[in-house]
Amino acid sequence: MDLLIVEDDDAVASALLAAVSSAGHKAERVFRGSDALLQHRKAAMILLDLGLPDMDGLEVLRKLRQVTLNPVIILTARDDERRVVRGLRLGADDYLIKPVKLNELLARIEAVARRMGRAAAPSSELTAGDVTISLDHRTAEVAGRALRLTPTEFELLALLVKHGGSIATREQIMDALWGDAFAAASRSLDVHLTGLRAKLGRPGYIVNVRGVGYRFEANPP
């Protein structure tokens, strides 16, 4: 499993890296919460220290949960029960008290991975209403009419359709398309949405949920 270790203490990070590597996992370590927000997509699971130098670990967790459902195990100091409870309520999957017992860490990683279950292999074709998308060939059609989409427009359409009628937040979209949910890419997103709507030729397909994000409506009224 690919792990992302978010830990600013070099000694702790070295021990964690050695432990997970000995168990056959691949791991990358970052120092800061801002780095975790930029690099989380590379990992299937995140080990998140709550005491980071640039931002509160719980704020990092809150922002991660806006863009990913990948498991997060929080690492926290002893006698910090309130932060543990807050972390679990914000969406952490488990927690460990420092100093971390490495055998326990590996057991928790395996337990969380089992709860995740095995994700089904993604389909190479998506459909919603009369929209058909080929992920392999990177083509899209509406009622048999080929759409001439830019790479970003294609990724945007595929992401919205993958959500299956549920809302994709602006943060999720910007994270998927630009790799940073909190960068100044908001205006660029608006431009691509306008272009995609025009090429679809179906104004009701992409619904703006004010203040939240967007939903693809396969059967608009």
Side-chain angles (χ1 to χ4, degrees), residues 118-172:
R118 296 195 173 203
S123 172
S124 62
E125 186 172 285
L126 303 172
T127 58
D130 57 3
V131 173
T132 303
I133 301 170
S134 171
L135 299 177
D136 288 340
H137 298 97
R138 295 185 64 81
T139 58
E141 298 179 348
V142 174
R145 173 175 60 87
L147 297 174
R148 298 175 63 86
L149 303 178
T150 67
T152 300
E153 289 169 349
F154 177 86
E155 294 293 345
L156 176 56
L157 177 61
L159 184 150
L160 291 171
V161 171
K162 283 178 182 177
H163 271 70
S166 62
I167 298 170
T169 68
R170 290 182 69 89
E171 290 82 6
Q172 287 173 324

Side-chain angles (χ1 to χ4, degrees), residues 16-180:
L16 294 174
L17 285 166
V20 299
S21 297
S22 70
H25 301 294
K26 295 180 181 179
E28 182 174 344
R29 180 260 184 123
V30 296
F31 297 81
R32 301 178 304 174
S34 55
D35 296 327
L37 296 174
L38 288 172
Q39 299 188 44
H40 72 87
R41 291 180 298 145
K42 300 178 181 179
M45 186 181 297
I46 300 166
L47 308 183
L48 175 65
D49 179 29
L50 293 186
L52 298 171
D54 63 330
M55 57 195 304
D56 185 86
L58 290 176
E59 179 64 10
V60 177
L61 176 60
R62 186 186 68 79
K63 290 186 174 183
L64 282 171
R65 278 294 170 254
Q66 292 179 29
V67 295
T68 181
L69 295 177
N70 284 357
V72 177
I73 298 177
I74 55 177
L75 310 177
T76 185
R78 191 173 299 278
D79 300 326
D80 202 3
E81 182 179 354
R82 288 185 179 180
R83 284 166 65 79
V84 168
V85 172
R86 286 184 62 199
L88 294 174
R89 287 177 174 170
L90 284 170
D93 295 88
D94 207 340
Y95 71 95
L96 286 165
I97 301 296
K98 291 183 177 182
V100 174
K101 297 178 180 178
L102 299 182
N103 287 337
E104 183 181 2
L105 169 65
L106 296 177
R108 296 291 184 92
I109 289 173
E110 292 173 6
V112 171
R114 282 196 299 271
R115 291 203 297 268
M116 286 171 56
R118 296 195 173 203
S123 172
S124 62
E125 186 172 285
L126 303 172
T127 58
D130 57 3
V131 173
T132 303
I133 301 170
S134 171
L135 299 177
D136 288 340
H137 298 97
R138 295 185 64 81
T139 58
E141 298 179 348
V142 174
R145 173 175 60 87
L147 297 174
R148 298 175 63 86
L149 303 178
T150 67
T152 300
E153 289 169 349
F154 177 86
E155 294 293 345
L156 176 56
L157 177 61
L159 184 150
L160 291 171
V161 171
K162 283 178 182 177
H163 271 70
S166 62
I167 298 170
T169 68
R170 290 182 69 89
E171 290 82 6
Q172 287 173 324
I173 295 171
M174 289 189 289
D175 185 73
L177 270 59
W178 288 281
D180 187 350

